[in-house]
Amino acid sequence: MSTCATASRESAESLTATAATARTWLLIEQTGPWGAQALTNSHLDPDVGRALEAATEGTGVRVALIRRPGRHADCHGTSRRRMFLAHTAPGRTWIRTTTVTDPRAALGLDFTALGAGEHHNLWEPYIGEPLVLVCTNGKRDRCCALLGRPLAAELAAGGTEAWEVTHIGGHRFSPTLVVLPYGYAYGRASAPLVKEAVEAARDGRITIDHCRGRSAWDRPGQAADLAVRELITEDRADALDIVRTDTVRPEPADSPTPGSSAIAGAGASPVWVVTVAHSDGRSWRVTVEQRADGAAAPASCGAPLGPPARMAVASVAAADVTPRRRAQAVSS
């Protein structure tokens, strides 16, 4: 078994609360090879890539390149390419799509509105199968290519609406992927697991097996969401919402980003209390701590081992709140 396969399948590190954070995804089809920083190191015009990075910063929109599974010729002559926008917040999930000849068209988008979930009837509603984005960028991490590309090809051959994607974080969990529109990410994935997740997404549900979290939330929110789902065996995708996150103990100034594979700062570990609300009016207060006491794991495939900064749920308590109405899911 390869180093990648061994690291992916035998690591004891928890998958919980390791998903990339993105309330809205902008996906741009780009054939050919991808570099480690794909937006500026591929056949996409690097000036366009840099402009997109600048325009989306702080908006809640994450930009990624996608391509169909299979062989990718080193050519520049792509005449038409697909673009998707997908918003993942509960109660208002949607996917919009278009086909363009010039990806510069994306630079005119209102990213602040899109990050907030407002598409203003932009493009066309996507009404196809759930989108499966499998990370395959071997220049970013070789395990994503060695494990992700065969999985993407197998899924596509079986009829899944699968795309290769440049970077969704968590290389050490390869194969890793995101299922849209709900934005739940999965790691150490297999084709049967993905097919189960896609079947669930068709019915407005999710599966928590091998689940990393929902991209709409930050890492404490992802941990709280999955903890409540497990507690009450709730699989309806939009049944739960993160309505409040209170910082009980802040991160030390020198601590890494929550969920990264590095030892937290020398100070006390950060703690959050996350309020999770159910569409039926129930709610819970979930205490989440960032810890660095897990088993050693690499930051990416082939990297040296180190203690990961993980999100740990310390407690889940029912909260007494007034029931509230939630907006119905936006279907277009």
Side-chain angles (χ1 to χ4, degrees):
M1 181 178 289
S2 70
T3 301
C4 291
T6 301
S8 175
R9 302 190 188 286
E10 295 183 2
S11 172
E13 183 182 358
S14 172
L15 293 165
T16 299
T18 62
T21 301
R23 292 181 69 81
T24 301
W25 294 81
L26 169 60
L27 309 170
I28 302 174
E29 185 177 6
Q30 179 59 61
T31 59
W34 297 331
Q37 304 297 327
L39 285 182
T40 54
N41 190 7
S42 68
H43 288 168
L44 181 72
D45 184 332
D47 289 338
V48 173
R50 281 188 286 270
L52 285 170
E53 288 177 333
T56 56
E57 184 175 2
T59 65
V61 177
R62 185 183 182 101
V63 186
L65 304 184
I66 58 173
R67 64 192 179 196
R68 289 294 190 182
R71 296 181 61 85
H72 305 290
D74 191 359
C75 59
H76 295 262
T78 302
S79 59
R80 296 181 66 79
R81 63 188 79 203
R82 194 79 175 269
M83 293 202 299
F84 294 94
L85 279 162
H87 187 65
T88 63
R92 57 190 313 175
T93 54
W94 48 257
I95 301 178
R96 311 289 290 189
T97 189
T98 192
T99 302
V100 300
T101 56
D102 189 344
R104 288 178 178 83
L107 295 175
L109 299 175
D110 184 344
F111 291 112
T112 299
L114 292 168
E118 303 295 337
H119 59 66
H120 300 302
N121 293 316
L122 178 71
W123 303 350
E124 297 293 328
Y126 173 75
I127 56 175
E129 288 287 288
L131 300 180
V132 178
L133 312 177
V134 183
C135 187
T136 64
N137 191 350
K139 294 296 184 181
R140 188 89 182 200
D141 190 293
R142 67 178 183 268
C143 289
C144 292
L146 292 174
L147 301 177
R149 292 195 68 189
L151 175 61
E154 181 179 356
L155 293 171
T160 299
E161 187 64 21
W163 294 78
E164 297 185 8
V165 68
T166 48
H167 178 54
I168 54 174
H171 318 293
R172 61 197 182 277
F173 304 123
S174 297
T176 184
L177 54 96
V178 173
V179 180
L180 296 174
Y182 302 112
Y184 279 91
Y186 297 86
R188 305 184 190 122
S190 64
L193 180 142
V194 179
K195 290 173 183 176
E196 180 183 348
V198 169
E199 183 177 347
R202 288 194 197 106
D203 297 331
R205 299 179 294 106
I206 66 116
T207 177
I208 63 172
D209 186 22
H210 287 229
C211 189
R212 298 176 58 196
R214 188 170 191 159
S215 72
W217 313 132
D218 59 15
R219 270 45 183 256
Q222 292 174 17
D225 172 54
L226 292 178
V228 172
R229 287 187 180 281
E230 185 172 6
L231 177 68
I232 65 173
T233 61
E234 177 60 77
D235 67 353
R236 288 173 293 170
D238 284 346
L240 299 182
D241 197 356
I242 304 300
V243 297
R244 184 183 177 96
T245 299
D246 296 304
T247 301
V248 176
R249 187 164 60 220
E251 299 174 63
D254 60 344
S255 71
T257 300
S260 64
S261 285
I263 300 175
S269 298
V271 178
W272 300 266
V273 174
V274 182
T275 302
V276 181
H278 197 288
S279 55
D280 65 8
R282 291 179 293 168
S283 70
W284 296 262
R285 288 171 57 83
V286 183
T287 301
V288 181
E289 301 176 355
Q290 180 176 305
R291 297 177 182 172
D293 56 356
S300 60
C301 297
L305 297 179
R310 65 186 180 93
M311 296 292 106
V313 173
S315 65
V316 181
D320 183 15
V321 298
T322 301
R324 62 189 184 87
R325 290 186 178 272
R326 287 247 316 273
Q328 296 296 314
V330 177
S331 59
S332 62

mmCIF file of all heavy atoms in Angstrom, residues 182-224:
data_model
loop_
_atom_site.group_PDB
_atom_site.id
_atom_site.type_symbol
_atom_site.label_atom_id
_atom_site.label_comp_id
_atom_site.label_asym_id
_atom_site.label_seq_id
_atom_site.Cartn_x
_atom_site.Cartn_y
_atom_site.Cartn_z
ATOM 1 N N TYR A 182 -25.629 21.275 -0.409
ATOM 2 C CA TYR A 182 -25.622 21.484 1.036
ATOM 3 C C TYR A 182 -24.231 21.759 1.598
ATOM 4 O O TYR A 182 -24.104 22.260 2.715
ATOM 5 C CB TYR A 182 -26.276 20.293 1.743
ATOM 6 C CG TYR A 182 -27.687 20.071 1.272
ATOM 7 C CD1 TYR A 182 -28.033 18.950 0.531
ATOM 8 C CD2 TYR A 182 -28.666 21.026 1.525
ATOM 9 C CE1 TYR A 182 -29.322 18.770 0.068
ATOM 10 C CE2 TYR A 182 -29.959 20.860 1.060
ATOM 11 C CZ TYR A 182 -30.288 19.730 0.335
ATOM 12 O OH TYR A 182 -31.567 19.572 -0.137
ATOM 13 N N GLY A 183 -23.182 21.439 0.843
ATOM 14 C CA GLY A 183 -21.843 21.821 1.257
ATOM 15 C C GLY A 183 -21.229 20.956 2.322
ATOM 16 O O GLY A 183 -20.286 21.396 2.989
ATOM 17 N N TYR A 184 -21.722 19.725 2.513
ATOM 18 C CA TYR A 184 -21.083 18.827 3.466
ATOM 19 C C TYR A 184 -19.876 18.167 2.807
ATOM 20 O O TYR A 184 -19.950 17.687 1.677
ATOM 21 C CB TYR A 184 -22.064 17.779 3.982
ATOM 22 C CG TYR A 184 -22.955 18.324 5.080
ATOM 23 C CD1 TYR A 184 -24.177 18.901 4.786
ATOM 24 C CD2 TYR A 184 -22.544 18.284 6.414
ATOM 25 C CE1 TYR A 184 -24.980 19.427 5.784
ATOM 26 C CE2 TYR A 184 -23.340 18.811 7.415
ATOM 27 C CZ TYR A 184 -24.554 19.382 7.101
ATOM 28 O OH TYR A 184 -25.351 19.915 8.093
ATOM 29 N N ALA A 185 -18.759 18.175 3.531
ATOM 30 C CA ALA A 185 -17.511 17.608 3.025
ATOM 31 C C ALA A 185 -17.277 16.240 3.658
ATOM 32 O O ALA A 185 -17.703 15.985 4.796
ATOM 33 C CB ALA A 185 -16.337 18.536 3.337
ATOM 34 N N TYR A 186 -16.573 15.383 2.923
ATOM 35 C CA TYR A 186 -16.283 14.029 3.386
ATOM 36 C C TYR A 186 -14.810 13.722 3.148
ATOM 37 O O TYR A 186 -14.180 14.257 2.237
ATOM 38 C CB TYR A 186 -17.167 13.011 2.648
ATOM 39 C CG TYR A 186 -18.632 13.204 2.929
ATOM 40 C CD1 TYR A 186 -19.393 14.099 2.180
ATOM 41 C CD2 TYR A 186 -19.248 12.541 3.988
ATOM 42 C CE1 TYR A 186 -20.731 14.314 2.462
ATOM 43 C CE2 TYR A 186 -20.583 12.749 4.275
ATOM 44 C CZ TYR A 186 -21.324 13.640 3.517
ATOM 45 O OH TYR A 186 -22.654 13.852 3.806
ATOM 46 N N GLY A 187 -14.268 12.843 3.989
ATOM 47 C CA GLY A 187 -12.880 12.451 3.849
ATOM 48 C C GLY A 187 -12.714 10.944 3.955
ATOM 49 O O GLY A 187 -13.610 10.236 4.416
ATOM 50 N N ARG A 188 -11.525 10.462 3.502
ATOM 51 C CA ARG A 188 -11.252 9.017 3.440
ATOM 52 C C ARG A 188 -12.415 8.321 2.728
ATOM 53 O O ARG A 188 -12.925 7.292 3.181
ATOM 54 C CB ARG A 188 -11.028 8.447 4.831
ATOM 55 C CG ARG A 188 -9.923 9.151 5.620
ATOM 56 C CD ARG A 188 -9.654 8.490 6.966
ATOM 57 N NE ARG A 188 -8.761 9.324 7.769
ATOM 58 C CZ ARG A 188 -9.042 9.811 8.972
ATOM 59 N NH1 ARG A 188 -10.196 9.522 9.534
ATOM 60 N NH2 ARG A 188 -8.173 10.557 9.611
ATOM 61 N N ALA A 189 -12.833 8.925 1.634
ATOM 62 C CA ALA A 189 -14.073 8.509 0.978
ATOM 63 C C ALA A 189 -13.857 7.325 0.049
ATOM 64 O O ALA A 189 -12.773 7.111 -0.482
ATOM 65 C CB ALA A 189 -14.661 9.675 0.193
ATOM 66 N N SER A 190 -14.925 6.584 -0.155
ATOM 67 C CA SER A 190 -14.973 5.490 -1.121
ATOM 68 C C SER A 190 -16.170 5.734 -2.021
ATOM 69 O O SER A 190 -17.075 6.508 -1.697
ATOM 70 C CB SER A 190 -15.137 4.145 -0.410
ATOM 71 O OG SER A 190 -16.391 4.106 0.273
ATOM 72 N N ALA A 191 -16.207 5.061 -3.181
ATOM 73 C CA ALA A 191 -17.324 5.237 -4.098
ATOM 74 C C ALA A 191 -18.668 4.879 -3.461
ATOM 75 O O ALA A 191 -19.643 5.633 -3.620
ATOM 76 C CB ALA A 191 -17.091 4.433 -5.370
ATOM 77 N N PRO A 192 -18.786 3.760 -2.720
ATOM 78 C CA PRO A 192 -20.077 3.464 -2.091
ATOM 79 C C PRO A 192 -20.522 4.546 -1.110
ATOM 80 O O PRO A 192 -21.710 4.896 -1.051
ATOM 81 C CB PRO A 192 -19.824 2.131 -1.370
ATOM 82 C CG PRO A 192 -18.708 1.493 -2.152
ATOM 83 C CD PRO A 192 -17.838 2.629 -2.559
ATOM 84 N N LEU A 193 -19.567 5.100 -0.340
ATOM 85 C CA LEU A 193 -19.921 6.153 0.607
ATOM 86 C C LEU A 193 -20.426 7.381 -0.131
ATOM 87 O O LEU A 193 -21.426 7.994 0.253
ATOM 88 C CB LEU A 193 -18.710 6.516 1.458
ATOM 89 C CG LEU A 193 -18.931 7.610 2.508
ATOM 90 C CD1 LEU A 193 -18.163 7.289 3.784
ATOM 91 C CD2 LEU A 193 -18.493 8.975 1.987
ATOM 92 N N VAL A 194 -19.743 7.761 -1.227
ATOM 93 C CA VAL A 194 -20.154 8.939 -1.982
ATOM 94 C C VAL A 194 -21.527 8.728 -2.599
ATOM 95 O O VAL A 194 -22.378 9.625 -2.590
ATOM 96 C CB VAL A 194 -19.120 9.285 -3.060
ATOM 97 C CG1 VAL A 194 -19.583 10.501 -3.864
ATOM 98 C CG2 VAL A 194 -17.760 9.562 -2.429
ATOM 99 N N LYS A 195 -21.771 7.561 -3.136
ATOM 100 C CA LYS A 195 -23.073 7.284 -3.734
ATOM 101 C C LYS A 195 -24.181 7.383 -2.684
ATOM 102 O O LYS A 195 -25.286 7.867 -2.969
ATOM 103 C CB LYS A 195 -23.056 5.910 -4.390
ATOM 104 C CG LYS A 195 -22.174 5.875 -5.645
ATOM 105 C CD LYS A 195 -22.021 4.473 -6.209
ATOM 106 C CE LYS A 195 -21.087 4.460 -7.418
ATOM 107 N NZ LYS A 195 -20.842 3.098 -7.935
ATOM 108 N N GLU A 196 -23.887 6.942 -1.471
ATOM 109 C CA GLU A 196 -24.861 7.083 -0.380
ATOM 110 C C GLU A 196 -25.100 8.551 -0.060
ATOM 111 O O GLU A 196 -26.247 8.978 0.154
ATOM 112 C CB GLU A 196 -24.352 6.345 0.863
ATOM 113 C CG GLU A 196 -25.296 6.427 2.049
ATOM 114 C CD GLU A 196 -24.723 5.740 3.284
ATOM 115 O OE1 GLU A 196 -23.711 5.018 3.176
ATOM 116 O OE2 GLU A 196 -25.306 5.934 4.382
ATOM 117 N N ALA A 197 -24.020 9.338 -0.041
ATOM 118 C CA ALA A 197 -24.159 10.768 0.250
ATOM 119 C C ALA A 197 -24.946 11.479 -0.839
ATOM 120 O O ALA A 197 -25.753 12.374 -0.558
ATOM 121 C CB ALA A 197 -22.770 11.396 0.399
ATOM 122 N N VAL A 198 -24.730 11.103 -2.094
ATOM 123 C CA VAL A 198 -25.459 11.709 -3.207
ATOM 124 C C VAL A 198 -26.936 11.331 -3.144
ATOM 125 O O VAL A 198 -27.823 12.177 -3.340
ATOM 126 C CB VAL A 198 -24.844 11.274 -4.548
ATOM 127 C CG1 VAL A 198 -25.744 11.668 -5.712
ATOM 128 C CG2 VAL A 198 -23.457 11.896 -4.720
ATOM 129 N N GLU A 199 -27.218 10.067 -2.872
ATOM 130 C CA GLU A 199 -28.612 9.638 -2.754
ATOM 131 C C GLU A 199 -29.317 10.395 -1.637
ATOM 132 O O GLU A 199 -30.478 10.810 -1.780
ATOM 133 C CB GLU A 199 -28.671 8.137 -2.498
ATOM 134 C CG GLU A 199 -30.084 7.582 -2.435
ATOM 135 C CD GLU A 199 -30.126 6.077 -2.265
ATOM 136 O OE1 GLU A 199 -29.078 5.419 -2.432
ATOM 137 O OE2 GLU A 199 -31.212 5.557 -1.952
ATOM 138 N N ALA A 200 -28.612 10.599 -0.515
ATOM 139 C CA ALA A 200 -29.199 11.363 0.585
ATOM 140 C C ALA A 200 -29.454 12.807 0.156
ATOM 141 O O ALA A 200 -30.524 13.374 0.432
ATOM 142 C CB ALA A 200 -28.273 11.322 1.800
ATOM 143 N N ALA A 201 -28.480 13.424 -0.542
ATOM 144 C CA ALA A 201 -28.623 14.817 -0.962
ATOM 145 C C ALA A 201 -29.810 15.004 -1.909
ATOM 146 O O ALA A 201 -30.473 16.043 -1.886
ATOM 147 C CB ALA A 201 -27.337 15.302 -1.618
ATOM 148 N N ARG A 202 -30.083 14.008 -2.732
ATOM 149 C CA ARG A 202 -31.247 14.088 -3.628
ATOM 150 C C ARG A 202 -32.537 14.277 -2.832
ATOM 151 O O ARG A 202 -33.473 14.929 -3.281
ATOM 152 C CB ARG A 202 -31.380 12.805 -4.449
ATOM 153 C CG ARG A 202 -30.352 12.608 -5.534
ATOM 154 C CD ARG A 202 -30.802 11.490 -6.464
ATOM 155 N NE ARG A 202 -29.711 10.995 -7.276
ATOM 156 C CZ ARG A 202 -29.099 9.829 -7.099
ATOM 157 N NH1 ARG A 202 -29.480 9.021 -6.104
ATOM 158 N NH2 ARG A 202 -28.112 9.460 -7.898
ATOM 159 N N ASP A 203 -32.560 13.688 -1.633
ATOM 160 C CA ASP A 203 -33.761 13.729 -0.790
ATOM 161 C C ASP A 203 -33.690 14.815 0.267
ATOM 162 O O ASP A 203 -34.488 14.829 1.203
ATOM 163 C CB ASP A 203 -33.951 12.374 -0.098
ATOM 164 C CG ASP A 203 -34.189 11.251 -1.080
ATOM 165 O OD1 ASP A 203 -34.734 11.525 -2.174
ATOM 166 O OD2 ASP A 203 -33.832 10.095 -0.767
ATOM 167 N N GLY A 204 -32.703 15.724 0.144
ATOM 168 C CA GLY A 204 -32.581 16.790 1.130
ATOM 169 C C GLY A 204 -32.015 16.325 2.455
ATOM 170 O O GLY A 204 -32.240 16.956 3.487
ATOM 171 N N ARG A 205 -31.247 15.237 2.415
ATOM 172 C CA ARG A 205 -30.673 14.699 3.640
ATOM 173 C C ARG A 205 -29.146 14.655 3.511
ATOM 174 O O ARG A 205 -28.589 14.914 2.458
ATOM 175 C CB ARG A 205 -31.207 13.282 3.896
ATOM 176 C CG ARG A 205 -32.705 13.198 4.066
ATOM 177 C CD ARG A 205 -33.174 11.758 4.297
ATOM 178 N NE ARG A 205 -32.940 10.920 3.120
ATOM 179 C CZ ARG A 205 -31.989 9.999 3.026
ATOM 180 N NH1 ARG A 205 -31.154 9.782 4.039
ATOM 181 N NH2 ARG A 205 -31.844 9.279 1.917
ATOM 182 N N ILE A 206 -28.479 14.314 4.610
ATOM 183 C CA ILE A 206 -27.034 14.124 4.585
ATOM 184 C C ILE A 206 -26.710 12.841 5.340
ATOM 185 O O ILE A 206 -27.521 12.331 6.125
ATOM 186 C CB ILE A 206 -26.271 15.309 5.220
ATOM 187 C CG1 ILE A 206 -26.561 15.414 6.733
ATOM 188 C CG2 ILE A 206 -26.638 16.594 4.533
ATOM 189 C CD1 ILE A 206 -25.367 15.196 7.597
ATOM 190 N N THR A 207 -25.550 12.309 5.064
ATOM 191 C CA THR A 207 -25.040 11.192 5.862
ATOM 192 C C THR A 207 -23.838 11.689 6.645
ATOM 193 O O THR A 207 -23.035 12.473 6.126
ATOM 194 C CB THR A 207 -24.659 9.996 4.969
ATOM 195 O OG1 THR A 207 -24.093 8.966 5.778
ATOM 196 C CG2 THR A 207 -23.674 10.396 3.884
ATOM 197 N N ILE A 208 -23.714 11.275 7.900
ATOM 198 C CA ILE A 208 -22.606 11.781 8.718
ATOM 199 C C ILE A 208 -21.426 10.820 8.746
ATOM 200 O O ILE A 208 -20.396 11.134 9.342
ATOM 201 C CB ILE A 208 -23.059 12.104 10.157
ATOM 202 C CG1 ILE A 208 -23.542 10.856 10.890
ATOM 203 C CG2 ILE A 208 -24.128 13.176 10.149
ATOM 204 C CD1 ILE A 208 -23.799 11.114 12.364
ATOM 205 N N ASP A 209 -21.542 9.676 8.076
ATOM 206 C CA ASP A 209 -20.420 8.747 8.001
ATOM 207 C C ASP A 209 -19.282 9.411 7.224
ATOM 208 O O ASP A 209 -19.460 9.845 6.086
ATOM 209 C CB ASP A 209 -20.863 7.463 7.307
ATOM 210 C CG ASP A 209 -19.786 6.393 7.312
ATOM 211 O OD1 ASP A 209 -18.881 6.458 8.172
ATOM 212 O OD2 ASP A 209 -19.838 5.491 6.452
ATOM 213 N N HIS A 210 -18.098 9.508 7.828
ATOM 214 C CA HIS A 210 -16.920 10.123 7.224
ATOM 215 C C HIS A 210 -17.126 11.608 6.921
ATOM 216 O O HIS A 210 -16.435 12.173 6.062
ATOM 217 C CB HIS A 210 -16.503 9.385 5.954
ATOM 218 C CG HIS A 210 -15.877 8.054 6.213
ATOM 219 N ND1 HIS A 210 -14.690 7.668 5.643
ATOM 220 C CD2 HIS A 210 -16.259 7.015 6.978
ATOM 221 C CE1 HIS A 210 -14.370 6.451 6.051
ATOM 222 N NE2 HIS A 210 -15.323 6.036 6.870
ATOM 223 N N CYS A 211 -18.054 12.247 7.605
ATOM 224 C CA CYS A 211 -18.359 13.648 7.339
ATOM 225 C C CYS A 211 -17.376 14.573 8.052
ATOM 226 O O CYS A 211 -17.075 14.389 9.234
ATOM 227 C CB CYS A 211 -19.784 13.975 7.772
ATOM 228 S SG CYS A 211 -20.336 15.606 7.236
ATOM 229 N N ARG A 212 -16.899 15.586 7.328
ATOM 230 C CA ARG A 212 -15.965 16.570 7.882
ATOM 231 C C ARG A 212 -16.683 17.810 8.398
ATOM 232 O O ARG A 212 -16.139 18.543 9.224
ATOM 233 C CB ARG A 212 -14.952 16.973 6.822
ATOM 234 C CG ARG A 212 -14.073 15.822 6.333
ATOM 235 C CD ARG A 212 -13.154 16.262 5.209
ATOM 236 N NE ARG A 212 -12.306 17.360 5.625
ATOM 237 C CZ ARG A 212 -11.636 18.151 4.804
ATOM 238 N NH1 ARG A 212 -11.735 17.973 3.495
ATOM 239 N NH2 ARG A 212 -10.884 19.130 5.267
ATOM 240 N N GLY A 213 -17.887 18.081 7.900
ATOM 241 C CA GLY A 213 -18.624 19.252 8.340
ATOM 242 C C GLY A 213 -19.239 19.988 7.168
ATOM 243 O O GLY A 213 -18.987 19.679 6.005
ATOM 244 N N ARG A 214 -20.072 20.988 7.493
ATOM 245 C CA ARG A 214 -20.750 21.794 6.478
ATOM 246 C C ARG A 214 -19.943 23.055 6.209
ATOM 247 O O ARG A 214 -19.586 23.791 7.142
ATOM 248 C CB ARG A 214 -22.162 22.163 6.940
ATOM 249 C CG ARG A 214 -23.014 22.828 5.866
ATOM 250 C CD ARG A 214 -24.459 22.937 6.303
ATOM 251 N NE ARG A 214 -25.327 23.327 5.173
ATOM 252 C CZ ARG A 214 -26.627 23.125 5.127
ATOM 253 N NH1 ARG A 214 -27.243 22.528 6.143
ATOM 254 N NH2 ARG A 214 -27.338 23.496 4.068
ATOM 255 N N SER A 215 -19.697 23.343 4.942
ATOM 256 C CA SER A 215 -18.803 24.452 4.610
ATOM 257 C C SER A 215 -19.364 25.808 5.013
ATOM 258 O O SER A 215 -18.609 26.771 5.141
ATOM 259 C CB SER A 215 -18.477 24.449 3.113
ATOM 260 O OG SER A 215 -19.584 24.841 2.327
ATOM 261 N N ALA A 216 -20.664 25.914 5.218
ATOM 262 C CA ALA A 216 -21.260 27.194 5.604
ATOM 263 C C ALA A 216 -20.764 27.672 6.967
ATOM 264 O O ALA A 216 -20.816 28.874 7.259
ATOM 265 C CB ALA A 216 -22.783 27.079 5.622
ATOM 266 N N TRP A 217 -20.271 26.758 7.805
ATOM 267 C CA TRP A 217 -19.906 27.103 9.175
ATOM 268 C C TRP A 217 -18.399 27.144 9.355
ATOM 269 O O TRP A 217 -17.643 26.457 8.654
ATOM 270 C CB TRP A 217 -20.477 26.084 10.163
ATOM 271 C CG TRP A 217 -21.909 25.739 9.961
ATOM 272 C CD1 TRP A 217 -22.470 24.493 9.926
ATOM 273 C CD2 TRP A 217 -23.000 26.656 9.765
ATOM 274 N NE1 TRP A 217 -23.810 24.576 9.719
ATOM 275 C CE2 TRP A 217 -24.173 25.897 9.603
ATOM 276 C CE3 TRP A 217 -23.084 28.051 9.694
ATOM 277 C CZ2 TRP A 217 -25.415 26.471 9.399
ATOM 278 C CZ3 TRP A 217 -24.322 28.627 9.464
ATOM 279 C CH2 TRP A 217 -25.469 27.845 9.336
ATOM 280 N N ASP A 218 -17.967 27.924 10.368
ATOM 281 C CA ASP A 218 -16.574 27.845 10.784
ATOM 282 C C ASP A 218 -16.367 26.537 11.536
ATOM 283 O O ASP A 218 -17.308 25.761 11.744
ATOM 284 C CB ASP A 218 -16.178 29.055 11.635
ATOM 285 C CG ASP A 218 -17.018 29.205 12.901
ATOM 286 O OD1 ASP A 218 -17.723 28.249 13.289
ATOM 287 O OD2 ASP A 218 -16.959 30.286 13.520
ATOM 288 N N ARG A 219 -15.127 26.267 11.973
ATOM 289 C CA ARG A 219 -14.842 24.953 12.560
ATOM 290 C C ARG A 219 -15.633 24.672 13.832
ATOM 291 O O ARG A 219 -16.175 23.570 13.991
ATOM 292 C CB ARG A 219 -13.332 24.826 12.806
ATOM 293 C CG ARG A 219 -12.493 24.246 11.675
ATOM 294 C CD ARG A 219 -12.805 24.790 10.306
ATOM 295 N NE ARG A 219 -12.031 24.177 9.242
ATOM 296 C CZ ARG A 219 -11.004 24.752 8.630
ATOM 297 N NH1 ARG A 219 -10.595 25.954 8.985
ATOM 298 N NH2 ARG A 219 -10.374 24.130 7.650
ATOM 299 N N PRO A 220 -15.781 25.616 14.779
ATOM 300 C CA PRO A 220 -16.633 25.330 15.946
ATOM 301 C C PRO A 220 -18.077 25.014 15.545
ATOM 302 O O PRO A 220 -18.707 24.124 16.117
ATOM 303 C CB PRO A 220 -16.540 26.610 16.779
ATOM 304 C CG PRO A 220 -15.224 27.214 16.394
ATOM 305 C CD PRO A 220 -15.075 26.910 14.931
ATOM 306 N N GLY A 221 -18.615 25.745 14.559
ATOM 307 C CA GLY A 221 -19.974 25.489 14.103
ATOM 308 C C GLY A 221 -20.119 24.125 13.462
ATOM 309 O O GLY A 221 -21.124 23.438 13.656
ATOM 310 N N GLN A 222 -19.105 23.711 12.683
ATOM 311 C CA GLN A 222 -19.135 22.384 12.077
ATOM 312 C C GLN A 222 -19.184 21.294 13.145
ATOM 313 O O GLN A 222 -19.948 20.325 13.033
ATOM 314 C CB GLN A 222 -17.906 22.186 11.192
ATOM 315 C CG GLN A 222 -17.878 23.058 9.958
ATOM 316 C CD GLN A 222 -16.570 22.938 9.185
ATOM 317 O OE1 GLN A 222 -15.811 21.991 9.379
ATOM 318 N NE2 GLN A 222 -16.292 23.903 8.324
ATOM 319 N N ALA A 223 -18.374 21.456 14.181
ATOM 320 C CA ALA A 223 -18.352 20.460 15.255
ATOM 321 C C ALA A 223 -19.693 20.398 15.968
ATOM 322 O O ALA A 223 -20.208 19.311 16.276
ATOM 323 C CB ALA A 223 -17.235 20.793 16.248
ATOM 324 N N ALA A 224 -20.283 21.565 16.247
ATOM 325 C CA ALA A 224 -21.553 21.610 16.963
ATOM 326 C C ALA A 224 -22.679 21.004 16.134
ATOM 327 O O ALA A 224 -23.520 20.250 16.646
ATOM 328 C CB ALA A 224 -21.882 23.054 17.329
#
